Amino acid sequence: MVKYPSGVRVTRSLSKKTTTQYGSRGMSLEERLNQSNLFYTANRIAIIHKKPTPIQVVKVDYPKRSAARIVEAYYRQASTTDYNGVYQGKYIDFEAKETTNKTRLPLANLPQHQIEHMKNCHEQGGIVFLIIAFTAHQKVFLLPYEMLEHYLTTSDNPKSIPYDFLKENAYECEQGLFPHIDYLKAVDQLLERSY
Amino acid sequence: MVKYPSGVRVTRSLSKKTTTQYGSRGMSLEERLNQSNLFYTANRIAIIHKKPTPIQVVKVDYPKRSAARIVEAYYRQASTTDYNGVYQGKYIDFEAKETTNKTRLPLANLPQHQIEHMKNCHEQGGIVFLIIAFTAHQKVFLLPYEMLEHYLTTSDNPKSIPYDFLKENAYECEQGLFPHIDYLKAVDQLLERSY
């Protein structure tokens, strides 16, 4: 972690330069999903976007003859999931989580109001899921909301999801170059089974 | 328009105080749509949210023991529409525009890439439209994407949409207290006719 004099913390961009990248290795889950979504849009397969990060703007300067400049603002907690869109007329809604842990995905970063949002969208007939990347295993899973709910309500340890549970119960997403993560193929499997 | 010493421009909150408010009068279209969406969520009718405003963060301070503080950031152009969500399993996507003009809605604030996004979502089978408020007439219309496209490609004056065109061709939205703007009733009419 490097701190510039200005106070800006730089992590990913510097650490990336020190490793040779093969294909999508070294890219974050978010970058790989964004590339996949661009691929889906360009090929008219689906229109799915990551929502902007919610920011509370407190103070804005309006310099003459130039763009409004935000000089005080804070990150807010998201009230929904990060990604949504449309695939074959159907509503798609998901949250993406990545972990370097080898055996479990900690759920500390999945707050209750996000689970509530997923439940609401599921009840409205949307296709709702988590995309979970285990970087140590180079595996990406799609966990449908129903299975997540089942796990959270029946498990002795609902604060994290075991890798083995996902291997058995979730849909594995194919990984490649175009798209990096073909999660819509996993959605197809999900639709075949349950809708 | 008042400029505080800090450079913050204050408009709406001050001007609101000078008028007595009856029901939703004095509220912006955005505020009324947000209230309507909360109503839809609370009554399990639909899950529709306004997306956060996209902001490009340039510089962040990390004070010890307090929240990260953004000290330089700029507004970015949205690459999608402002609102989307799910209604009875269907994907809903729309942009909201308000005008004080009595005869026409200027389309200068509807950039080409937003129209492109609407077209893409429409082609994916989503329900896509504009919500247009004419404050002078206290009328709110839902204009389906197909009609917008038809207007833009056939009109002599595609830089604005006449009020009379909307009165004849768009769906008028009922206004009340709960919700302030019942645009999903207009969506029902749209679905009955075209899907």
Side-chain angles (χ1 to χ4, degrees):
Chain A
M1 190 100 66
V2 173
K3 267 204 178 181
Y4 282 151
S6 64
V8 182
R9 224 179 264 184
V10 177
T11 46
R12 195 191 302 143
S13 59
L14 281 179
S15 63
K16 262 165 88 180
K17 278 180 192 158
T18 60
T19 54
T20 315
Q21 283 173 53
Y22 303 97
S24 66
R25 270 193 253 174
M27 288 174 79
S28 70
L29 178 61
E30 179 181 327
E31 288 166 324
R32 295 163 75 202
L33 286 171
N34 288 346
Q35 184 262 20
S36 304
N37 288 338
L38 286 173
F39 174 87
Y40 290 143
T41 299
N43 291 279
R44 300 176 179 277
I45 296 167
I47 308 296
I48 296 165
H49 285 270
K50 183 177 187 294
K51 294 186 187 175
T53 306
I55 288 172
Q56 180 71 48
V57 175
V58 176
K59 209 153 99 184
V60 185
D61 271 354
Y62 295 87
K64 275 184 193 165
R65 279 184 289 276
S66 62
R69 180 181 174 174
I70 297 159
V71 294
E72 186 183 351
Y74 300 91
Y75 292 105
R76 276 189 300 145
Q77 269 225 327
S79 54
T80 67
T81 48
D82 270 357
Y83 298 85
N84 73 357
V86 56
Y87 173 51
Q88 298 178 353
K90 295 188 180 70
Y91 177 74
I92 301 281
D93 194 296
F94 66 96
E95 184 66 25
K97 296 291 174 199
E98 189 167 25
T99 184
T100 54
N101 191 306
K102 284 178 190 168
T103 56
R104 306 183 78 92
L105 171 78
L107 290 178
N109 289 328
L110 189 70
Q112 189 53 41
H113 63 267
Q114 262 185 348
I115 297 174
E116 197 66 34
H117 172 77
M118 294 176 83
K119 185 190 178 77
N120 289 341
C121 291
H122 172 73
E123 283 173 1
Q124 273 298 322
I127 301 167
V128 186
F129 49 88
L130 282 183
I131 294 284
I132 301 167
F134 276 84
T135 49
H137 301 287
Q138 298 190 24
K139 295 269 189 199
V140 179
F141 297 100
L142 182 153
L143 181 70
Y145 170 75
E146 272 180 315
M147 278 187 210
L148 172 68
E149 187 183 68
H150 176 78
Y151 179 80
L152 292 176
T153 50
T154 61
S155 163
D156 295 335
N157 185 0
K159 288 190 175 169
S160 64
I161 304 179
Y163 178 70
D164 288 342
F165 175 86
L166 293 171
K167 254 185 100 173
E168 267 169 50
N169 296 285
Y171 298 86
E172 191 179 337
C173 301
E174 277 182 33
Q175 296 176 71
L177 275 181
F178 302 103
H180 281 332
I181 299 172
D182 200 356
Y183 64 90
L184 287 180
K185 262 199 193 156
V187 167
D188 287 338
Q189 290 177 280
L190 171 65
L191 289 172
E192 271 167 37
R193 284 206 212 169
S194 55
Y195 287 82
Chain B
M1 187 104 63
V2 174
K3 267 203 178 181
Y4 283 151
S6 64
V8 182
R9 223 180 263 184
V10 176
T11 47
R12 194 193 302 143
S13 59
L14 281 179
S15 62
K16 263 165 87 178
K17 279 181 192 155
T18 61
T19 54
T20 315
Q21 283 174 54
Y22 304 97
S24 66
R25 270 194 254 173
M27 287 175 78
S28 70
L29 178 60
E30 180 182 326
E31 288 167 323
R32 294 163 75 202
L33 287 172
N34 288 345
Q35 185 262 17
S36 306
N37 289 337
L38 285 173
F39 175 87
Y40 289 144
T41 299
N43 291 279
R44 300 178 178 274
I45 295 167
I47 307 294
I48 296 165
H49 284 271
K50 183 175 188 295
K51 292 186 189 176
T53 307
I55 287 172
Q56 181 71 47
V57 175
V58 176
K59 212 154 95 183
V60 185
D61 271 355
Y62 295 88
K64 275 183 194 167
R65 281 185 288 275
S66 62
R69 180 180 175 174
I70 298 160
V71 293
E72 186 182 352
Y74 300 91
Y75 292 105
R76 277 189 299 145
Q77 270 226 328
S79 55
T80 66
T81 47
D82 269 357
Y83 298 84
N84 73 357
V86 56
Y87 173 50
Q88 299 176 352
K90 295 189 179 69
Y91 178 74
I92 301 281
D93 194 296
F94 66 96
E95 184 67 25
K97 296 290 174 201
E98 190 166 24
T99 183
T100 54
N101 191 305
K102 284 180 190 165
T103 57
R104 307 184 77 91
L105 171 79
L107 290 177
N109 289 329
L110 189 70
Q112 189 53 42
H113 63 266
Q114 262 185 349
I115 297 174
E116 196 66 34
H117 172 77
M118 294 176 81
K119 185 191 178 76
N120 289 341
C121 291
H122 173 73
E123 284 173 1
Q124 275 297 324
I127 301 167
V128 186
F129 49 88
L130 282 183
I131 294 283
I132 303 168
F134 276 85
T135 49
H137 302 286
Q138 297 190 26
K139 295 269 189 200
V140 179
F141 298 100
L142 182 153
L143 181 69
Y145 170 75
E146 273 179 314
M147 279 188 208
L148 172 68
E149 187 183 70
H150 176 78
Y151 179 81
L152 292 176
T153 50
T154 59
S155 161
D156 295 336
N157 184 0
K159 289 190 175 170
S160 65
I161 304 179
Y163 177 70
D164 288 343
F165 175 86
L166 293 172
K167 254 185 101 172
E168 267 170 49
N169 296 284
Y171 299 86
E172 191 179 337
C173 301
E174 277 181 31
Q175 296 176 71
L177 274 182
F178 302 104
H180 282 332
I181 301 173
D182 200 357
Y183 64 89
L184 286 180
K185 262 199 193 156
V187 167
D188 287 337
Q189 291 178 280
L190 170 64
L191 288 171
E192 270 167 37
R193 284 206 213 168
S194 56
Y195 288 82

